[in-house]
Amino acid sequence: MNAIAASAIVRPKTTAIFTCALAALAGLMFGLDIGVISGATQFIQKEFQISDHMIEWIVSSMMLGAAIGALGAGWMSAALGRKRSLILAGVLFVIGSLLSGGAWSPQTLIAARVILGLAIGVATFTAPLYLAEVAPENTRGAMISLYQLMITIGILVAFLSNTAFSYSGNWRWMLGIIAIPGVLFLLGLFLLPDSPRWLMMRGRKQEATAVLQKLRGDADHVAREVADIEEQLKTPQRGWHLFLQNPNFRRSVGLGVLLQLMQQFTGMNVVMYYAPRIFQDMGYATTAQMWFTAVVGLTNVLATFIAIGLVDRLGRKPILYAGFSVMAIGLGLVGAMMHLGIATHAEQLFTVAMLLLFIVGFAMSAGPLIWTLCSEVQPLKGRDFGIGCSTVTNWVANMIVGATFLTLLNSVGNAATFWLYAALNGVFLLITFWLIPETKNVTLEQIERNLMAGKPLREIGHEASAAAHGFSRPATEDTAA
Ligand code: BGC
């Protein structure tokens, strides 16, 4: 059995960390996919002699595939299980990256990127779901932040490899080389146990208990968690039915969708896809553009550690307040500099610094925390469906942002474009205050009880006192909604 295979390799106490680290490698693939295209486009454009519009298609086709992948991933992760879904994603990833590198026409490249997108869509749905299901509640936030850390490392690696290959202009290597981490990811996946919650859903209680025993190590804790999950599984509705029948579930689905819209419309991916172009607008030449892009990637990685360190201590909301404020200020000032004109070296550097400030704001907050919140707020019976909706939203919004940036620049100008995103970050600050719950140190079961009891969204993370100490409280008649 998988759990036994995993325990043969690592000691029980480290199994949970090992499991989460491996699952978080899914984030690496996500990041490679996001980062890899920014450095390649100018060379692709030269080789195939294609328009900006076609480039926009090549960039966005991956997000289209990802939206479709995320759409099917809910069904898949319920039917096949989380682990096998991740394996399928790994296979598609390797095929997609090899085909991208070998593409013989813009159309093949688009098709290859759709395949890559499918892989990432499935992985971005399944990995956070899996992490939320295997991580104990007192480290859940940090574990999911680890997933985000892997995304940022993937982006950085892609930026660095782009920079290295930019000297020869070999875009085929830029796109193809990511098959190597894809293969490593696939190999690692075979060591993962199945999600205990998924096993329980399939009536495989004994295996679920065995996996939890390896993950938690404490028999009492395991018994409580199994009882909690069992209690929740008594509710016979799920997914789409639950959505139609239960207004409380519709609220949590709406919340997940809103959270992902907020994450994407911060404007982060404008920088991820078009950083070299933005540095060009600041007056930098090609080599400097590529190296500054790598600095953006590095900043993104480093600032993610702020979130990892603070998320389970300060909570989600204070970090989101800080993040949206920093992003609004950073982009507002980038816009102001572009409006005033960047003439001197000092002005150039100041503008770069403000762009990096924006990256810090995102990486320390919305980057990891939105994924965390999205996997925490959905009730178990509808978790697949709920996270599916929010993940699809992430990719659709991502596509809109990626496909409109150049058009926005050309129509309203670069200053107004950055101000628009700065203003949106200001709006998200207010939305966080009004609507977003604090979920720090509360069990998923408690969040679900609050949601189903009809509490306002911003209060669904209010904890039962025992949960504050990191223990799951067994569901009783009066607490189970
Ligand atoms: C977002 C991606 C983004 C990345 C940047 C993720 O959380 O979902 O769209 O590119 O962070 O680090």
Side-chain angles (χ1 to χ4, degrees):
M1 207 183 64
N2 299 325
I4 292 169
S7 70
I9 294 157
V10 284
R11 294 157 67 84
K13 291 239 163 123
T14 55
T15 309
I17 294 171
F18 176 77
T19 303
C20 290
L22 267 176
L25 280 173
L28 185 79
M29 303 190 333
F30 182 171
L32 289 170
D33 244 14
I34 295 264
V36 83
I37 200 66
S38 72
T41 45
Q42 48 180 311
F43 303 109
I44 293 170
Q45 196 161 23
K46 232 182 259 167
E47 176 165 338
F48 289 133
Q49 293 293 315
I50 47 178
S51 66
D52 273 0
H53 189 56
M54 193 56 143
I55 287 292
E56 274 180 341
W57 268 102
I58 290 171
V59 171
S60 318
S61 52
M62 189 272 282
M63 287 89 98
L64 179 70
I68 298 168
L71 211 55
W75 168 83
M76 220 160 73
S77 71
L80 300 181
R82 285 66 163 123
K83 178 179 162 173
R84 265 172 284 178
S85 300
L86 286 172
I87 290 176
L88 184 70
V91 171
L92 286 174
F93 184 86
V94 173
I95 296 174
S97 41
L98 291 177
L99 194 61
S100 307
W104 54 91
S105 66
Q107 288 74 15
T108 354
L109 189 50
I110 289 175
R113 288 199 32 94
V114 170
I115 295 175
L116 265 182
L118 286 172
I120 295 307
V122 172
T124 49
F125 167 83
T126 313
L129 175 72
Y130 180 84
L131 290 180
E133 291 180 345
V134 298
E137 64 272 7
N138 54 347
T139 58
R140 207 171 53 222
M143 286 298 181
I144 300 176
S145 298
L146 182 67
Y147 169 70
Q148 174 68 21
L149 181 68
M150 296 308 293
I151 297 179
T152 62
I153 290 176
I155 294 173
L156 173 63
V157 169
F159 283 172
L160 285 172
S161 127
N162 286 349
T163 306
F165 286 118
S166 70
Y167 289 96
S168 63
N170 196 331
W171 63 267
R172 292 183 183 282
W173 272 97
M174 285 182 195
L175 300 188
I177 202 164
I178 62 174
I180 296 172
V183 170
L184 294 179
F185 167 75
L186 258 178
L187 294 178
L189 275 176
F190 288 101
L191 299 173
L192 291 184
D194 277 311
S195 151
R197 277 168 204 259
W198 178 74
L199 288 169
M200 296 279 289
M201 280 172 145
R202 312 291 289 192
R204 291 154 67 178
K205 183 175 170 184
Q206 243 186 332
E207 288 169 68
T209 312
V211 172
L212 276 172
Q213 191 59 47
K214 302 287 173 231
L215 292 170
R216 310 284 189 257
D218 167 0
D220 284 352
H221 193 132
V222 171
R224 276 200 302 272
E225 206 166 330
V226 168
D228 242 3
I229 299 174
E230 236 167 10
E231 186 63 35
Q232 308 258 325
L233 288 175
K234 285 184 187 156
T235 323
Q237 301 148 312
R238 52 191 316 197
W240 181 237
H241 291 291
L242 192 60
F243 185 78
L244 291 181
Q245 288 162 8
N246 192 319
N248 285 320
F249 181 48
R250 288 201 287 275
R251 290 191 307 143
S252 66
V253 171
L255 179 61
V257 165
L258 175 70
L259 283 164
Q260 289 291 3
L261 287 174
M262 287 163 67
Q263 191 203 53
Q264 288 304 310
F265 285 101
T266 55
M268 177 60 169
N269 283 321
V270 156
V271 186
M272 295 297 105
Y273 301 134
Y274 299 106
R277 165 70 191 259
I278 296 171
F279 290 121
Q280 186 189 335
D281 278 11
M282 293 181 194
Y284 287 106
T286 311
T287 311
Q289 288 165 25
M290 299 302 285
W291 280 107
F292 273 127
T293 302
V295 173
V296 163
L298 183 64
T299 308
N300 193 21
V301 174
L302 295 180
T304 304
F305 284 103
I306 304 176
I308 293 179
L310 296 182
V311 66
D312 285 320
R313 264 192 290 154
L314 288 189
R316 285 61 166 148
K317 286 183 77 161
I319 300 181
L320 283 176
Y321 291 140
F324 286 127
S325 310
V326 168
M327 285 189 273
I329 293 168
L331 284 187
L333 288 173
V334 170
M337 292 307 292
M338 293 202 160
H339 179 67
L340 297 171
I342 303 165
T344 66
H345 187 53
E347 285 166 357
Q348 268 182 327
L349 284 181
F350 178 75
T351 316
V352 172
M354 289 306 101
L355 194 71
L356 293 178
L357 184 69
F358 163 74
I359 301 290
V360 170
F362 180 89
M364 63 172 271
S365 66
L369 294 200
I370 296 294
W371 290 105
T372 307
L373 281 162
C374 281
S375 61
E376 289 176 336
V377 298
Q378 304 301 344
L380 180 58
K381 275 290 181 186
R383 191 160 291 149
D384 296 1
F385 180 85
I387 298 183
C389 290
S390 55
T391 307
V392 171
T393 307
N394 174 282
W395 286 110
V396 172
N398 192 332
M399 189 169 75
I400 295 171
V401 167
T404 53
F405 181 64
L406 293 179
T407 314
L408 268 177
L409 282 189
N410 294 334
S411 51
V412 299
N414 46 19
T417 303
F418 286 107
W419 282 335
L420 173 71
Y421 281 112
L424 284 172
N425 279 291
V427 172
F428 300 152
L429 191 62
L430 299 177
I431 294 181
T432 304
F433 176 73
W434 278 316
L435 282 177
I436 308 304
E438 179 55 75
T439 52
K440 178 183 76 158
N441 278 353
V442 188
T443 63
L444 298 183
E445 290 72 27
Q446 183 62 40
I447 295 171
E448 175 165 348
R449 282 190 280 269
N450 289 339
L451 174 79
M452 290 308 184
K455 283 199 178 177
L457 285 176
R458 60 186 278 198
E459 289 172 21
I460 61 173
H462 285 191
E463 71 205 11
S465 46
H469 299 100
F471 293 106
S472 175
R473 206 173 63 149
T476 58
E477 284 301 312
D478 59 332
T479 54

